[in-house]
Amino acid sequence: MRRCFDLARLGAGQVSPNPMVGAVLVHNGRIIGEGWHQKYGEAHAEVNCLRSVAPENRAFIPHSTLYCSLEPCFHHGKTPPCVDLILQHKIPALVVANTDPNPLVSGKGLEKLKAAGVNVKSAVLEEEGLWLNRFFFSWITRKKPYVILKWAQSLDGFLGKTGERTPVSEAASIRLVHKWRSETDAILVGTNTAVIDNPRLDTRFYFGKKPLRVVFDTHGKIPSNYHLLDDSVETWVYGPKRLGIFIKTQFFPQENQSVAIPSMLDNLAKNNHATLMVEGGARVLQQFLDGNEWDEIRLLQNNRRLGSGIPAPSLPANAIPVTSFGIGNDRVEIFRRSTTC
Ligand code: AOF
Ligand code: ZN
């Protein structure tokens, strides 16, 4: 199953809002097929796994066990049901990590396979699977994007100097942030960050997709020659419409930032954006924390002091540490929101 998860992760950033799914076919302790869901709208993991079986191994398929990180689909979506494929290939045994919360599937896939005599084992490494696909599970069950708050702070707890762009993180961490962006559907910054930093919010230090940029500009303060108003990638501006021709930029006139947050989250989910990464600044991060509108915090802790500046937000009491690791001179700490308080 861990191999399924590793394969699934290869689809990161390419399949959203679909889940990342991996499948492995095993005959007598030997892997004879592997596959993953590679791109939204294209073949599912099970299809790619069966396609990968070499001609000399095809006769083993009806005597093999299929491991799949997600319950095989039951519905006719953009591709035919994987359940039917498993039955056509007469695969006698199936092991899955998670049932598919998609109402079109939700247990029906496993039921159909069991009824046809397939030996089904479910909930194997279920927690790991839930964490792997936390964006998808959030989007499909809560109709909300999974919200990640990301900030970098100095050793003495500052986000940056007041009123000036202040590099806090190391080059390696910046690359990591670009990787995170490429795995995220949308990135948000507030007006102050947009005005002070003139960020691009792109993925120039990593490969992969360019996420939707979202910015609060409630009083129209962002200079019109700034990157976020360059119409180079899909951008949502919560603020007054600007003069000029915009093709990839949409404006949502909105004067109150705290009112804008819920409607923005709703709008993201409706447009198939399953994740949002909030990259600052202090005010926007605090609004998400105060509204308990967050699921995960990614904190980049640098080892140098700034002496003064904008204080970083305090970690909320319901933040549970998940993992931490070093990168250059930074330490990355990941927290998730406790669901019990
Ligand atoms: C699987 N294997 O690899 C994936 C599944 O529009 P479609 O046809 O691509 O269907 C998307 C839905 O199928 C998605 O919301 C989820 O319920 C399931 N994803 N199922 O059997 C896969 N990616
Ligand atoms: Zn499928």
Side-chain angles (χ1 to χ4, degrees):
M1 189 54 76
R2 293 222 164 86
R3 178 70 188 147
C4 290
F5 294 155
D6 284 346
L7 292 165
R9 268 187 279 271
L10 297 172
Q14 302 298 320
V15 298
S16 182
N18 274 356
M20 294 175 268
V21 184
V24 172
L25 191 66
V26 178
H27 177 256
N28 274 351
R30 185 170 65 98
I31 291 178
I32 61 167
E34 289 192 332
W36 69 96
H37 184 36
Q38 299 183 356
K39 208 163 175 45
Y40 178 78
E42 294 184 5
H44 284 181
E46 298 87 326
V47 175
N48 288 329
C49 175
L50 284 158
R51 268 185 201 153
S52 78
V53 179
E56 65 273 23
N57 287 327
R58 297 203 75 83
F60 298 132
I61 296 176
H63 310 284
S64 300
T65 298
L66 180 68
Y67 290 78
C68 195
S69 55
L70 189 76
E71 169 182 14
C73 66
F74 176 83
H75 64 296
H76 286 267
K78 291 178 192 63
T79 62
C82 292
V83 162
D84 294 353
L85 184 76
I86 293 169
L87 294 176
Q88 279 154 22
H89 281 87
K90 300 192 166 44
I91 297 171
L94 173 76
V95 181
V96 303
N98 301 111
T99 48
D100 185 348
N102 184 343
L104 297 169
V105 186
S106 73
K108 294 200 259 314
L110 295 184
E111 283 313 317
K112 184 166 178 185
L113 292 167
K114 280 184 201 160
V118 177
N119 179 358
V120 175
K121 188 170 180 194
S122 52
V124 171
L125 300 183
E126 191 177 21
E127 288 297 318
E128 280 180 48
L130 287 173
W131 178 254
L132 172 70
N133 274 312
R134 55 200 187 279
F135 307 169
F136 166 71
F137 291 124
S138 166
W139 176 75
I140 201 127
T141 59
R142 304 187 310 180
K143 299 190 174 49
K144 265 188 182 182
Y146 184 92
V147 175
I148 299 167
L149 306 183
K150 179 237 117 185
W151 71 82
Q153 65 184 42
S154 64
L155 187 61
D156 44 0
F158 295 108
L159 292 178
K161 295 275 192 190
T162 311
E164 58 184 89
R165 187 180 171 113
T166 320
V168 173
S169 303
E170 304 282 319
S173 306
I174 293 168
R175 201 173 287 271
L176 175 68
V177 169
H178 283 221
K179 175 178 187 286
W180 287 345
R181 286 179 178 174
S182 77
E183 296 168 353
T184 306
D185 293 337
I187 314 169
L188 170 86
V189 291
T191 310
N192 290 340
T193 305
V195 170
I196 295 163
D197 287 2
N198 186 15
R200 290 181 171 85
L201 301 187
D202 65 6
T203 49
R204 64 197 176 281
F205 300 127
Y206 206 75
F207 63 93
K209 77 153 186 243
K210 293 180 176 34
L212 166 74
R213 307 185 299 191
V214 185
V215 61
F216 288 130
D217 182 35
T218 44
H219 296 98
K221 282 194 203 148
I222 302 175
S224 54
N225 61 344
Y226 269 30
H227 297 305
L228 285 174
L229 295 174
D230 64 9
D231 205 33
S232 62
V233 290
E234 212 197 336
T235 306
W236 289 358
V237 179
Y238 280 81
K241 174 136 184 45
R242 303 301 184 98
L243 290 174
I245 298 167
F246 289 94
I247 295 173
K248 297 179 184 164
T249 310
Q250 288 187 64
F251 293 88
F252 302 90
Q254 180 58 262
E255 285 184 359
N256 183 325
Q257 194 164 299
S258 38
V259 173
I261 291 176
S263 77
M264 185 256 309
L265 292 175
D266 204 41
N267 212 3
L268 285 171
K270 283 197 184 113
N271 284 280
N272 289 353
H273 297 297
T275 5
L276 171 71
M277 183 152 75
V278 183
E279 294 211 28
R283 184 159 159 251
V284 181
L285 289 166
Q286 200 58 54
Q287 269 170 342
F288 277 86
L289 289 167
D290 291 346
N292 218 12
E293 287 281 15
W294 64 279
D295 298 289
E296 187 172 325
I297 294 172
R298 298 183 182 177
L299 174 58
L300 293 152
Q301 177 71 60
N302 188 261
N303 68 350
R304 279 189 311 264
R305 290 178 188 278
L306 274 183
S308 63
I310 304 162
S314 310
L315 276 177
N318 57 348
I320 300 175
V322 177
T323 183
S324 98
F325 54 91
I327 177 163
N329 286 322
D330 285 337
R331 187 129 206 105
V332 178
E333 295 178 31
I334 314 264
F335 301 85
R336 67 174 175 83
R337 186 167 57 88
S338 159
T339 42
T340 51
C341 51

